[in-house]
Amino acid sequence: MPTCLLTGATGFLGAHVARALLARGWTVRALIRGGPARIPELVRSGVEVVSGDLSPQNDLASATAGADAIVHVAGVTNARTLEEYREVNVRGTERLARAARGAASNALFLLVSSQAAAGPATRGRPVRDGDPPRPVSWYGLSKREGEEALACNWPGARVVIRPSVVFGPGDRGLLLLFRAASRGVVPVASGRSLVQLIRAERAAAAIAEAAARPDLDRRTGFLCDPEPISIARLSEEIAALPPRRPIIFPLPRLVLQLAGAFETTLEALTRRSRPFNADKVREMLAGDWICDGGPLSRDLKLPPPTPLPQDLAETWAWYAQAGWLL
């Protein structure tokens, strides 16, 4: 069986990717800080765990040795500064690519980037594969620079996938909206803005499929469900899930900016990153986050997505069973 070196297997999307790769017959070797004792469920599922991370002191060449594919999902989504983002999303990618050049030079290197690397739509036009990137946040800039780091340091076959908003079991991003609905009050920021979603299982299946497609060499593509949805409509769909319908109210732009500034101040005082800050507000207020996922979807022959209300209901059920809505 072919071997895939996977980073980020302990994260939300990475865990789904590990399962998707195993289901397709890959031998999955996961680079994990802390080793097998930290993630026994991965070991039970058949994943080979290699202790380590993307820092300079780790022997990444040994981790990648003999791999037929490298799927790089690991990354930082919350940080206090641009340099903190760059340390993992840019320099971590660069170190991994350089280490693998001698140890797995024939591998396909698949980088899971982000729609944030491309930036928002311009005047309502979805961003397309070949459009010049226009990241508006530190996170987006670091993901774009990570793509450039791969291009400069990996001479072999490479693919870059930019997922849109990924949700589903285990997600802590949209959890904030689900939890607000369970508590009876849903604040809606940038309600008119459009976004595109994709369920984690579907995204993981696409990534696992692309890992076996060297014919996609040099391809950068978007991964999303075809239909955009407004933030207001998404909030209404989630608000319909609890037994008692919550109150929905719009959050003024100024309030959002002040809240982001306050959270950034807390980051400076505590020296710890927070899931919401001024950098996240820049993304939220940037307009429509819509892209053209059609080309990659067709090349990977992805089946049509299940209806969004069904996906949201199943995600709600998972959160409820896991006790995450408290």
Short mmCIF file of all heavy atoms in Angstrom, two decimals, residues 137-184:
data_model
loop_
_atom_site.label_atom_id
_atom_site.label_comp_id
_atom_site.label_asym_id
_atom_site.label_seq_id
_atom_site.Cartn_x
_atom_site.Cartn_y
_atom_site.Cartn_z
N SER A 137 -5.92 39.47 5.73
CA SER A 137 -5.61 39.23 7.13
C SER A 137 -4.21 38.66 7.26
O SER A 137 -3.61 38.17 6.30
CB SER A 137 -6.62 38.26 7.75
OG SER A 137 -6.53 36.98 7.12
N TRP A 138 -3.69 38.70 8.48
CA TRP A 138 -2.40 38.07 8.73
C TRP A 138 -2.45 36.58 8.44
O TRP A 138 -1.52 36.01 7.88
CB TRP A 138 -1.99 38.29 10.19
CG TRP A 138 -1.60 39.69 10.51
CD1 TRP A 138 -1.23 40.67 9.62
CD2 TRP A 138 -1.54 40.28 11.81
NE1 TRP A 138 -0.95 41.83 10.29
CE2 TRP A 138 -1.12 41.62 11.64
CE3 TRP A 138 -1.79 39.80 13.09
CZ2 TRP A 138 -0.95 42.48 12.72
CZ3 TRP A 138 -1.61 40.65 14.17
CH2 TRP A 138 -1.20 41.98 13.99
N TYR A 139 -3.55 35.96 8.84
CA TYR A 139 -3.70 34.53 8.58
C TYR A 139 -3.65 34.25 7.08
O TYR A 139 -2.91 33.37 6.62
CB TYR A 139 -5.01 34.03 9.17
CG TYR A 139 -5.37 32.62 8.74
CD1 TYR A 139 -4.60 31.54 9.14
CD2 TYR A 139 -6.47 32.38 7.92
CE1 TYR A 139 -4.92 30.25 8.75
CE2 TYR A 139 -6.80 31.09 7.52
CZ TYR A 139 -6.02 30.03 7.93
OH TYR A 139 -6.33 28.76 7.53
N GLY A 140 -4.45 34.99 6.32
CA GLY A 140 -4.47 34.80 4.87
C GLY A 140 -3.12 35.04 4.23
O GLY A 140 -2.69 34.31 3.33
N LEU A 141 -2.42 36.08 4.68
CA LEU A 141 -1.09 36.37 4.13
C LEU A 141 -0.13 35.24 4.43
O LEU A 141 0.65 34.83 3.56
CB LEU A 141 -0.58 37.68 4.73
CG LEU A 141 0.82 38.12 4.27
CD1 LEU A 141 0.86 38.32 2.76
CD2 LEU A 141 1.24 39.41 4.98
N SER A 142 -0.18 34.71 5.65
CA SER A 142 0.73 33.61 5.99
C SER A 142 0.43 32.36 5.17
O SER A 142 1.35 31.63 4.78
CB SER A 142 0.66 33.30 7.49
OG SER A 142 -0.56 32.67 7.83
N LYS A 143 -0.84 32.09 4.90
CA LYS A 143 -1.18 30.92 4.08
C LYS A 143 -0.72 31.12 2.64
O LYS A 143 -0.24 30.18 2.00
CB LYS A 143 -2.67 30.64 4.14
CG LYS A 143 -3.19 30.25 5.51
CD LYS A 143 -2.52 28.99 6.05
CE LYS A 143 -3.08 27.72 5.41
NZ LYS A 143 -2.55 26.50 6.07
N ARG A 144 -0.84 32.33 2.14
CA ARG A 144 -0.34 32.61 0.79
C ARG A 144 1.18 32.48 0.74
O ARG A 144 1.72 31.88 -0.20
CB ARG A 144 -0.75 34.03 0.37
CG ARG A 144 -0.16 34.50 -0.95
CD ARG A 144 -0.46 33.54 -2.09
NE ARG A 144 0.29 33.88 -3.31
CZ ARG A 144 0.55 33.02 -4.28
NH1 ARG A 144 0.12 31.77 -4.21
NH2 ARG A 144 1.23 33.41 -5.34
N GLU A 145 1.87 32.97 1.75
CA GLU A 145 3.32 32.84 1.78
C GLU A 145 3.73 31.38 1.95
O GLU A 145 4.78 30.96 1.46
CB GLU A 145 3.89 33.70 2.91
CG GLU A 145 3.78 35.19 2.63
CD GLU A 145 4.31 36.05 3.77
OE1 GLU A 145 4.65 35.48 4.84
OE2 GLU A 145 4.38 37.28 3.60
N GLY A 146 2.89 30.59 2.61
CA GLY A 146 3.15 29.15 2.71
C GLY A 146 3.09 28.48 1.35
O GLY A 146 3.88 27.58 1.04
N GLU A 147 2.13 28.90 0.52
CA GLU A 147 2.04 28.39 -0.85
C GLU A 147 3.31 28.73 -1.62
O GLU A 147 3.86 27.90 -2.37
CB GLU A 147 0.83 28.98 -1.56
CG GLU A 147 -0.50 28.60 -0.95
CD GLU A 147 -1.68 29.30 -1.60
OE1 GLU A 147 -1.46 30.11 -2.55
OE2 GLU A 147 -2.82 29.06 -1.18
N GLU A 148 3.78 29.97 -1.46
CA GLU A 148 5.01 30.40 -2.15
C GLU A 148 6.22 29.62 -1.64
O GLU A 148 7.12 29.27 -2.43
CB GLU A 148 5.20 31.89 -1.95
CG GLU A 148 4.13 32.74 -2.63
CD GLU A 148 4.20 34.20 -2.25
OE1 GLU A 148 4.86 34.50 -1.22
OE2 GLU A 148 3.61 35.03 -2.95
N ALA A 149 6.26 29.35 -0.33
CA ALA A 149 7.37 28.59 0.23
C ALA A 149 7.43 27.18 -0.36
O ALA A 149 8.51 26.66 -0.65
CB ALA A 149 7.24 28.52 1.75
N LEU A 150 6.28 26.58 -0.57
CA LEU A 150 6.24 25.25 -1.18
C LEU A 150 6.76 25.32 -2.61
O LEU A 150 7.58 24.48 -3.02
CB LEU A 150 4.82 24.70 -1.17
CG LEU A 150 4.63 23.34 -1.86
CD1 LEU A 150 5.45 22.26 -1.17
CD2 LEU A 150 3.16 22.96 -1.90
N ALA A 151 6.30 26.30 -3.38
CA ALA A 151 6.73 26.43 -4.77
C ALA A 151 8.24 26.62 -4.89
O ALA A 151 8.87 26.12 -5.82
CB ALA A 151 5.99 27.59 -5.44
N CYS A 152 8.83 27.32 -3.93
CA CYS A 152 10.27 27.60 -3.99
C CYS A 152 11.12 26.44 -3.51
O CYS A 152 12.30 26.36 -3.86
CB CYS A 152 10.58 28.84 -3.15
SG CYS A 152 9.94 30.39 -3.82
N ASN A 153 10.54 25.56 -2.69
CA ASN A 153 11.36 24.54 -2.04
C ASN A 153 11.00 23.11 -2.42
O ASN A 153 11.65 22.18 -1.93
CB ASN A 153 11.23 24.69 -0.52
CG ASN A 153 11.90 25.95 0.00
OD1 ASN A 153 13.12 26.00 0.16
ND2 ASN A 153 11.11 26.97 0.26
N TRP A 154 9.99 22.93 -3.27
CA TRP A 154 9.61 21.57 -3.66
C TRP A 154 9.62 21.45 -5.18
O TRP A 154 8.72 21.95 -5.86
CB TRP A 154 8.24 21.21 -3.12
CG TRP A 154 7.87 19.78 -3.39
CD1 TRP A 154 6.97 19.32 -4.31
CD2 TRP A 154 8.42 18.63 -2.77
NE1 TRP A 154 6.93 17.95 -4.29
CE2 TRP A 154 7.82 17.50 -3.34
CE3 TRP A 154 9.38 18.45 -1.76
CZ2 TRP A 154 8.13 16.20 -2.95
CZ3 TRP A 154 9.69 17.16 -1.37
CH2 TRP A 154 9.06 16.05 -1.97
N PRO A 155 10.65 20.79 -5.75
CA PRO A 155 10.73 20.67 -7.20
C PRO A 155 9.84 19.60 -7.79
O PRO A 155 9.62 19.56 -9.01
CB PRO A 155 12.20 20.33 -7.43
CG PRO A 155 12.61 19.59 -6.18
CD PRO A 155 11.83 20.23 -5.07
N GLY A 156 9.31 18.72 -6.96
CA GLY A 156 8.49 17.62 -7.45
C GLY A 156 7.05 18.03 -7.68
O GLY A 156 6.69 19.21 -7.70
N ALA A 157 6.20 17.01 -7.83
CA ALA A 157 4.78 17.26 -8.06
C ALA A 157 4.16 17.88 -6.81
O ALA A 157 4.40 17.43 -5.69
CB ALA A 157 4.07 15.95 -8.40
N ARG A 158 3.36 18.91 -7.02
CA ARG A 158 2.73 19.59 -5.88
C ARG A 158 1.34 20.07 -6.25
O ARG A 158 1.06 20.42 -7.41
CB ARG A 158 3.58 20.77 -5.40
CG ARG A 158 3.76 21.88 -6.43
CD ARG A 158 4.56 23.04 -5.85
NE ARG A 158 4.63 24.16 -6.77
CZ ARG A 158 5.60 24.38 -7.65
NH1 ARG A 158 6.61 23.52 -7.72
NH2 ARG A 158 5.57 25.43 -8.45
N VAL A 159 0.47 20.07 -5.25
CA VAL A 159 -0.91 20.51 -5.41
C VAL A 159 -1.26 21.37 -4.20
O VAL A 159 -0.89 21.04 -3.07
CB VAL A 159 -1.89 19.30 -5.48
CG1 VAL A 159 -3.33 19.79 -5.57
CG2 VAL A 159 -1.55 18.41 -6.67
N VAL A 160 -1.94 22.47 -4.45
CA VAL A 160 -2.40 23.35 -3.37
C VAL A 160 -3.93 23.39 -3.41
O VAL A 160 -4.52 23.68 -4.45
CB VAL A 160 -1.84 24.78 -3.51
CG1 VAL A 160 -2.45 25.70 -2.45
CG2 VAL A 160 -0.32 24.77 -3.41
N ILE A 161 -4.54 23.06 -2.28
CA ILE A 161 -5.99 23.10 -2.17
C ILE A 161 -6.38 24.17 -1.17
O ILE A 161 -5.84 24.22 -0.06
CB ILE A 161 -6.55 21.72 -1.75
CG1 ILE A 161 -6.40 20.74 -2.91
CG2 ILE A 161 -8.01 21.82 -1.33
CD1 ILE A 161 -6.95 19.35 -2.62
N ARG A 162 -7.33 25.02 -1.58
CA ARG A 162 -7.80 26.12 -0.73
C ARG A 162 -9.25 25.87 -0.32
O ARG A 162 -10.17 26.25 -1.05
CB ARG A 162 -7.70 27.44 -1.48
CG ARG A 162 -6.29 27.89 -1.82
CD ARG A 162 -6.34 29.06 -2.78
NE ARG A 162 -5.04 29.71 -2.98
CZ ARG A 162 -4.79 30.63 -3.90
NH1 ARG A 162 -5.77 31.01 -4.73
NH2 ARG A 162 -3.59 31.18 -4.01
N PRO A 163 -9.48 25.25 0.83
CA PRO A 163 -10.87 25.04 1.26
C PRO A 163 -11.53 26.34 1.69
O PRO A 163 -10.87 27.28 2.14
CB PRO A 163 -10.72 24.09 2.46
CG PRO A 163 -9.32 23.58 2.41
CD PRO A 163 -8.52 24.64 1.74
N SER A 164 -12.84 26.36 1.55
CA SER A 164 -13.63 27.47 2.08
C SER A 164 -13.89 27.19 3.57
O SER A 164 -13.08 26.52 4.22
CB SER A 164 -14.94 27.60 1.30
OG SER A 164 -15.70 26.41 1.42
N VAL A 165 -15.00 27.64 4.11
CA VAL A 165 -15.32 27.39 5.52
C VAL A 165 -15.66 25.91 5.69
O VAL A 165 -16.63 25.42 5.12
CB VAL A 165 -16.49 28.27 5.98
CG1 VAL A 165 -16.85 27.95 7.44
CG2 VAL A 165 -16.15 29.74 5.81
N VAL A 166 -14.85 25.20 6.46
CA VAL A 166 -15.05 23.77 6.70
C VAL A 166 -15.78 23.60 8.03
O VAL A 166 -15.39 24.20 9.04
CB VAL A 166 -13.72 23.01 6.72
CG1 VAL A 166 -13.96 21.51 6.87
CG2 VAL A 166 -12.92 23.29 5.44
N PHE A 167 -16.82 22.80 8.03
CA PHE A 167 -17.58 22.59 9.26
C PHE A 167 -17.95 21.12 9.39
O PHE A 167 -17.76 20.33 8.47
CB PHE A 167 -18.86 23.45 9.27
CG PHE A 167 -19.93 22.93 8.35
CD1 PHE A 167 -21.01 22.21 8.84
CD2 PHE A 167 -19.87 23.15 6.97
CE1 PHE A 167 -22.00 21.72 7.99
CE2 PHE A 167 -20.84 22.66 6.12
CZ PHE A 167 -21.92 21.94 6.63
N GLY A 168 -18.50 20.77 10.55
CA GLY A 168 -18.92 19.39 10.78
C GLY A 168 -18.48 18.92 12.14
O GLY A 168 -17.99 19.71 12.97
N PRO A 169 -18.63 17.62 12.43
CA PRO A 169 -18.24 17.08 13.73
C PRO A 169 -16.79 17.40 14.09
O PRO A 169 -15.88 17.14 13.31
CB PRO A 169 -18.45 15.57 13.54
CG PRO A 169 -19.52 15.47 12.50
CD PRO A 169 -19.26 16.61 11.56
N GLY A 170 -16.61 17.99 15.26
CA GLY A 170 -15.28 18.34 15.72
C GLY A 170 -14.86 19.77 15.45
O GLY A 170 -13.83 20.22 15.95
N ASP A 171 -15.65 20.53 14.68
CA ASP A 171 -15.30 21.90 14.34
C ASP A 171 -15.56 22.84 15.51
O ASP A 171 -16.62 22.79 16.13
CB ASP A 171 -16.13 22.35 13.13
CG ASP A 171 -15.95 23.83 12.83
OD1 ASP A 171 -14.82 24.32 12.98
OD2 ASP A 171 -16.93 24.47 12.44
N ARG A 172 -14.58 23.71 15.80
CA ARG A 172 -14.75 24.70 16.85
C ARG A 172 -14.95 26.10 16.29
O ARG A 172 -15.05 27.07 17.05
CB ARG A 172 -13.54 24.68 17.80
CG ARG A 172 -13.46 23.39 18.61
CD ARG A 172 -12.38 23.47 19.68
NE ARG A 172 -12.34 22.23 20.46
CZ ARG A 172 -13.08 22.00 21.52
NH1 ARG A 172 -13.94 22.91 21.95
NH2 ARG A 172 -12.98 20.85 22.18
N GLY A 173 -15.00 26.24 14.96
CA GLY A 173 -15.23 27.53 14.34
C GLY A 173 -16.69 27.92 14.39
O GLY A 173 -17.11 28.85 15.10
N LEU A 174 -17.52 27.19 13.62
CA LEU A 174 -18.95 27.46 13.63
C LEU A 174 -19.61 27.05 14.95
O LEU A 174 -20.77 27.39 15.19
CB LEU A 174 -19.64 26.74 12.47
CG LEU A 174 -19.46 27.34 11.08
CD1 LEU A 174 -20.34 26.61 10.08
CD2 LEU A 174 -19.76 28.82 11.05
N LEU A 175 -18.87 26.35 15.80
CA LEU A 175 -19.42 25.99 17.10
C LEU A 175 -19.93 27.21 17.85
O LEU A 175 -20.93 27.14 18.58
CB LEU A 175 -18.35 25.29 17.94
CG LEU A 175 -18.68 25.03 19.42
CD1 LEU A 175 -19.88 24.10 19.55
CD2 LEU A 175 -17.46 24.45 20.14
N LEU A 176 -19.29 28.36 17.66
CA LEU A 176 -19.71 29.57 18.35
C LEU A 176 -21.15 29.93 18.00
O LEU A 176 -21.94 30.34 18.86
CB LEU A 176 -18.77 30.72 18.00
CG LEU A 176 -17.30 30.54 18.42
CD1 LEU A 176 -16.47 31.72 17.94
CD2 LEU A 176 -17.19 30.35 19.92
N LEU A 177 -21.52 29.77 16.71
CA LEU A 177 -22.90 30.05 16.30
C LEU A 177 -23.86 29.01 16.85
O LEU A 177 -24.96 29.34 17.32
CB LEU A 177 -23.00 30.09 14.77
CG LEU A 177 -22.84 31.44 14.08
CD1 LEU A 177 -22.95 31.26 12.57
CD2 LEU A 177 -23.87 32.44 14.58
N PHE A 178 -23.48 27.75 16.79
CA PHE A 178 -24.33 26.68 17.32
C PHE A 178 -24.55 26.86 18.83
O PHE A 178 -25.66 26.70 19.33
CB PHE A 178 -23.68 25.31 17.06
CG PHE A 178 -23.81 24.83 15.64
CD1 PHE A 178 -22.94 25.25 14.65
CD2 PHE A 178 -24.80 23.93 15.30
CE1 PHE A 178 -23.06 24.79 13.35
CE2 PHE A 178 -24.94 23.45 14.01
CZ PHE A 178 -24.07 23.89 13.03
N ARG A 179 -23.48 27.19 19.54
CA ARG A 179 -23.59 27.36 20.98
C ARG A 179 -24.46 28.57 21.32
O ARG A 179 -25.26 28.53 22.27
CB ARG A 179 -22.19 27.50 21.59
CG ARG A 179 -22.16 27.51 23.10
CD ARG A 179 -20.74 27.47 23.59
NE ARG A 179 -20.14 26.15 23.46
CZ ARG A 179 -18.84 25.91 23.60
NH1 ARG A 179 -18.00 26.91 23.85
NH2 ARG A 179 -18.37 24.68 23.50
N ALA A 180 -24.33 29.65 20.53
CA ALA A 180 -25.18 30.83 20.76
C ALA A 180 -26.65 30.48 20.56
O ALA A 180 -27.51 30.90 21.33
CB ALA A 180 -24.76 31.95 19.81
N ALA A 181 -26.93 29.67 19.52
CA ALA A 181 -28.32 29.26 19.28
C ALA A 181 -28.85 28.43 20.43
O ALA A 181 -30.01 28.58 20.82
CB ALA A 181 -28.40 28.48 17.97
N SER A 182 -28.01 27.57 20.99
CA SER A 182 -28.47 26.73 22.10
C SER A 182 -28.74 27.55 23.35
O SER A 182 -29.53 27.15 24.21
CB SER A 182 -27.43 25.64 22.40
OG SER A 182 -26.29 26.18 23.05
N ARG A 183 -28.11 28.73 23.45
CA ARG A 183 -28.27 29.57 24.64
C ARG A 183 -29.35 30.63 24.45
O ARG A 183 -29.61 31.41 25.37
CB ARG A 183 -26.93 30.22 24.98
CG ARG A 183 -25.90 29.21 25.44
CD ARG A 183 -24.53 29.83 25.63
NE ARG A 183 -23.57 28.84 26.13
CZ ARG A 183 -22.28 29.08 26.30
NH1 ARG A 183 -21.78 30.28 25.98
NH2 ARG A 183 -21.47 28.14 26.76
N GLY A 184 -29.93 30.71 23.24
CA GLY A 184 -31.09 31.55 23.05
C GLY A 184 -30.87 32.89 22.41
O GLY A 184 -31.84 33.61 22.12
#
